[in-house]
Amino acid sequence: MGMTMTQKILAAHAGLDKVEAGQLIMADLDLVLGNDVTTPVAIKEFNKIGADGVFDKNKVAIVPDHFTPNKDIKSAQQCRLIREFAHHKEIANYFEIGRMGIEHALIPEQGLAVPGDVIIGADSHTCTYGALGAFSTGVGSTDMAAGMALGKCWFKVPEAIRFNLTGKLQPWVSGKDVILHIIGKIGVDGALYQSMEFGGEGLASLSMDDRFTIANMAIEAGAKNGIFEVDQQTLDYVKEHSTKEYKVYSADEDAVYTRVIDVNLSEIKLTVAFPHQPDNTRTIDQAGDIAIDQVVIGSCTNGRIEDLRAAARVLKGRKVHPRVRTIIFPATQKIYLQAMKEGLLEIFIEAGAAVSTPTCGPCLGGHMGILAKGERAVATTNRNFVGRMGHPESEVYLASPAVAAASAVTGRISSPEEVVL
Amino acid sequence: MIKGKVIKYGNNVDTDVIIPARYLNTSDPAELARHCMEDLDPTFVGRVNAGDVMVAGRNFGCGSSREHAPIALKASGISCIIAETFARIFYRNAINIGLPILECPLAAQEISEGDEVSVDVNTGIITNHTTGKVYQGEPFPEFMQQIIKSEGLINYVRERMGQK
């Protein structure tokens, strides 16, 4: 019986020739990650262990991105705690404000995630690096603490669902529509405890940014991780961003999957997830007339350069609807600079949108765009739970950057085809 | 043996409603407990008693990896959670901080709000004293029992490092 991609990576990191679904293993970690919300709890637990230092100063990354730039005194205290810990433990990959980014855009950009890695992060969207053919998964703060001390983490070897991609995306359709379509199909617990493994001939037509978006939201189907087959595009990305050693794993021919789902990319339409679950999806033609108050373009899901380019294609020479606030968050400083060089920021500001420094901010209802009672937002973020972006009676509609930008112009949920003629 | 009164919720109770992110600028358990379940059930904090058992449907604890969610539930007095299924990060976090949780679809469906139940986490046996029904929940694998026996992952790690 063969192994899936994830199983092969886990076996290699546990020093085993073979693992089976359900087996409990202790695996070596290539990177342990935390942010300003989860790391303070991890530090408290780390100090209880009594270890002198972290297992490897180059294999821990701490990114203050959630409530930063510090939104209030308590957040400032939390950031001070993690900053002092990072300095005291001489953690090489601590990224200060002005040099940081949203962690899941920043880590691949910094070359800290490469194919074949095993990565844990005290943030649920750590599954993003599966786009690079790594096993990466979200954990809690205590796991982060143990990981920092030991360089190891326990895992239950997951089963997997295989997604065979065919065809090619239609104009305006993006990775966000693909993952919303899939979550709508299998449900928010459709991949519970399992891997989502993506591959097939359709893979070649998905850009790296599309793949990051898709892997990022694997957790929204309950998955342990999302993982993509490695192709030339992946290797080109790695070559451009990293000097780390990597290893390409592929699933065995006779790997066992709980389900095999065929996804024809050509058939996927622009998709929106209605409140209050990411699986409550409708294609744009079924969205109806939904007036909105705010648009958020950014986050670890959709704050990369291609996302900003898509938004700019829609907003260029147009104006944000007078009743709508539009806030755009390039996900890292590097992306911000690139957007500036390409003239995208000028397009956004001319259109009447606000452009912010990188932060998770409004995605989790932290700051920089909180919703009042009864308000509605179209957001390129990843969750639309009750109260996610503010008041418990506000609403979040999840969509791609192109749909979000089009909605900003019309003031209601709209297709870019309606705006860009 | 855990024994308590049941507080019951439905499917997909997410970590954002267990503890909204606007309160994550602290990690103090008592402060987190004051806002536990606030966006789903504002009456929870006022009516929960130490030892109460939470019962819910599928995918309990989905969403964010915030360990503040099980910390808030534990600090509010919840002694155990029984659900049809748990989201995996929540599952890890609960075990790691020593909050007992059990998967048992039948018990999760049949037990009602206000019932008196007892739970033996070693055997996975759940008894509903109000109806008299007994259920066999999924017991923990031995590895996780060791973590629970060590009263959480940190003590388990300390033991491994030979520092205890």
Side-chain angles (χ1 to χ4, degrees):
Chain A
M1 200 167 72
M3 291 189 284
T4 66
M5 243 181 116
T6 295
Q7 290 166 354
K8 282 173 113 169
I9 295 172
L10 287 176
H13 283 75
L16 301 167
D17 292 331
K18 189 149 179 50
V19 294
E20 283 178 17
Q23 190 176 340
L24 286 158
I25 57 156
M26 194 60 90
D28 291 329
L29 301 172
D30 297 300
L31 188 69
V32 178
L33 170 72
N35 60 49
D36 54 307
V37 164
T38 56
T39 307
V41 180
I43 292 171
K44 212 190 279 181
E45 298 304 316
F46 183 87
N47 289 338
K48 286 184 200 162
I49 296 171
D52 293 333
V54 298
F55 80 107
D56 186 329
K57 292 167 187 170
N58 296 311
K59 292 184 177 176
V60 174
I62 297 177
V63 187
D65 59 357
H66 274 55
F67 293 161
T68 59
N70 303 335
K71 81 179 178 95
D72 52 29
I73 294 169
K74 282 181 175 175
S75 304
Q77 295 289 124
Q78 296 206 121
C79 285
R80 192 173 95 173
L81 182 72
I82 67 171
R83 181 179 301 120
E84 285 172 355
F85 178 81
H87 290 170
H88 185 245
K89 304 295 178 197
E90 298 171 336
I91 287 166
N93 298 300
Y94 170 77
F95 298 92
E96 193 52 274
I97 306 306
R99 300 181 284 280
M100 52 73 82
I102 297 175
E103 51 194 320
H104 308 308
L106 186 69
I107 295 297
E109 187 185 279
Q110 292 288 329
L112 292 171
V114 295
D117 274 356
V118 169
I119 298 173
I120 60 167
D123 188 280
S124 60
H125 293 107
T126 303
C127 52
T128 308
Y129 321 130
L132 292 163
F135 170 81
S136 65
T137 191
V139 295
S141 298
T142 299
D143 278 320
M144 181 192 176
M148 286 196 294
L150 293 178
K152 289 175 189 293
C153 187
W154 67 269
F155 296 106
K156 191 169 166 185
V157 176
E159 296 180 308
I161 302 176
R162 165 83 185 181
F163 293 85
N164 272 331
L165 309 175
T166 57
K168 198 168 177 257
L169 296 177
Q170 299 290 323
W172 294 115
V173 178
S174 68
K176 183 60 163 286
D177 303 289
V178 175
I179 191 63
L180 288 176
H181 167 83
I182 288 171
I183 296 166
K185 198 165 165 176
I186 68 174
V188 289
D189 59 353
L192 197 59
Y193 305 128
Q194 302 187 61
S195 301
M196 295 169 79
E197 189 178 289
F198 299 92
E201 58 178 77
L203 187 64
S205 72
L206 294 177
S207 69
M208 285 313 299
D209 283 2
D210 282 326
R211 298 179 199 186
F212 283 123
T213 302
I214 294 170
N216 173 275
M217 286 189 72
I219 179 69
E220 262 53 73
K224 189 185 201 103
N225 66 314
I227 192 162
F228 278 76
E229 282 175 355
V230 174
D231 65 4
Q232 193 53 47
Q233 244 193 104
T234 326
L235 298 178
D236 290 345
Y237 183 95
V238 171
K239 200 174 162 193
E240 191 188 333
H241 293 89
S242 188
T243 52
K244 263 178 73 171
E245 261 184 66
Y246 65 88
K247 189 167 179 196
V248 176
Y249 292 85
S250 46
D252 289 326
E253 290 281 328
D254 58 344
V256 177
Y257 298 98
T258 56
R259 284 171 85 180
V260 177
I261 298 177
D262 293 318
V263 179
N264 185 346
L265 300 173
S266 318
E267 290 173 3
I268 291 176
K269 292 180 180 174
L270 295 168
T271 302
V272 179
F274 276 48
H276 288 287
Q277 280 183 197
D279 62 355
N280 187 18
T281 56
R282 294 188 201 177
T283 53
I284 194 84
D285 48 314
Q286 301 295 314
D289 191 13
I290 309 279
I292 58 162
D293 304 283
Q294 180 167 297
V295 167
V296 170
I297 298 173
S299 83
C300 61
T301 312
N302 278 125
R304 297 182 184 81
I305 193 69
E306 279 187 11
D307 300 316
L308 301 183
R309 286 176 189 147
R313 275 212 309 278
V314 177
L315 290 174
K316 189 172 185 177
R318 296 185 177 82
K319 294 286 180 197
V320 168
H321 190 278
R323 223 181 12 123
V324 175
R325 296 105 54 184
T326 297
I327 315 165
I328 301 177
F329 299 81
T332 67
Q333 289 291 82
K334 195 176 167 190
I335 294 167
Y336 200 119
L337 198 58
Q338 181 68 24
M340 194 169 84
K341 285 178 183 161
E342 292 183 20
L344 310 182
L345 303 186
E346 194 176 339
I347 291 170
F348 298 149
I349 292 166
E350 289 283 351
V355 181
S356 163
T357 193
T359 179
C360 303
C363 171
L364 76 162
H367 62 153
M368 290 297 291
I370 303 305
L371 299 174
K373 183 176 178 178
E375 286 191 330
R376 289 196 188 117
V378 173
T380 67
T381 56
N382 41 57
R383 293 194 177 122
N384 54 355
F385 299 152
V386 169
R388 175 74 179 178
M389 199 174 277
H391 195 280
E393 288 173 44
S394 61
E395 294 183 344
V396 176
Y397 295 74
L398 305 176
S400 70
V403 168
S407 307
V409 172
T410 63
R412 55 188 169 74
I413 294 177
S414 300
S415 163
E417 285 169 343
E418 213 181 300
V419 175
V420 184
L421 303 170
Chain B
M1 180 78 90
I2 289 159
K3 193 170 181 182
K5 193 164 61 61
V6 168
I7 295 180
K8 190 166 182 180
Y9 297 107
N11 294 330
N12 302 314
V13 173
D14 63 72
T15 52
D16 276 83
V17 295
I18 296 171
I19 184 71
R22 57 186 177 275
Y23 303 118
L24 297 186
N25 54 9
T26 178
S27 59
D28 175 42
E31 206 175 326
L32 293 170
R34 279 201 287 280
H35 302 287
C36 192
M37 305 302 288
E38 190 174 285
D39 285 358
L40 179 67
D41 176 10
T43 72
F44 173 80
V45 171
R47 67 196 176 98
V48 65
N49 290 304
D52 282 359
V53 173
M54 192 171 276
V55 176
R58 292 196 318 272
N59 203 25
F60 185 92
C62 61
S64 149
S65 67
R66 61 190 71 161
E67 205 158 290
H68 311 68
I71 290 171
L73 287 166
K74 193 178 178 190
S76 71
I78 292 295
S79 62
C80 176
I81 307 170
I82 300 165
E84 288 184 47
T85 54
F86 290 92
R88 59 160 288 277
I89 304 177
F90 184 91
Y91 189 90
R92 289 184 79 94
N93 288 347
I95 290 169
N96 285 344
I97 68 155
L99 172 65
I101 61 175
L102 278 179
E103 286 194 343
C104 184
L106 192 62
Q109 285 158 20
E110 292 188 353
I111 293 172
S112 305
E113 171 85 28
D115 285 358
E116 282 281 331
V117 301
S118 60
V119 180
D120 184 333
V121 286
N122 295 320
T123 60
I125 289 174
I126 300 162
T127 308
N128 186 340
H129 299 284
T130 306
T131 63
K133 280 191 118 172
V134 178
Y135 306 91
Q136 177 66 60
E138 183 79 26
F140 291 114
E142 201 195 323
F143 172 75
M144 288 181 209
Q145 279 187 24
Q146 282 172 24
I147 295 177
I148 292 164
K149 210 178 282 174
S150 305
E151 294 173 15
L153 183 68
I154 293 305
N155 287 335
Y156 177 81
V157 171
R158 282 166 59 108
E159 286 160 17
R160 276 180 72 88
M161 295 181 87
Q163 291 181 347
K164 193 165 184 176

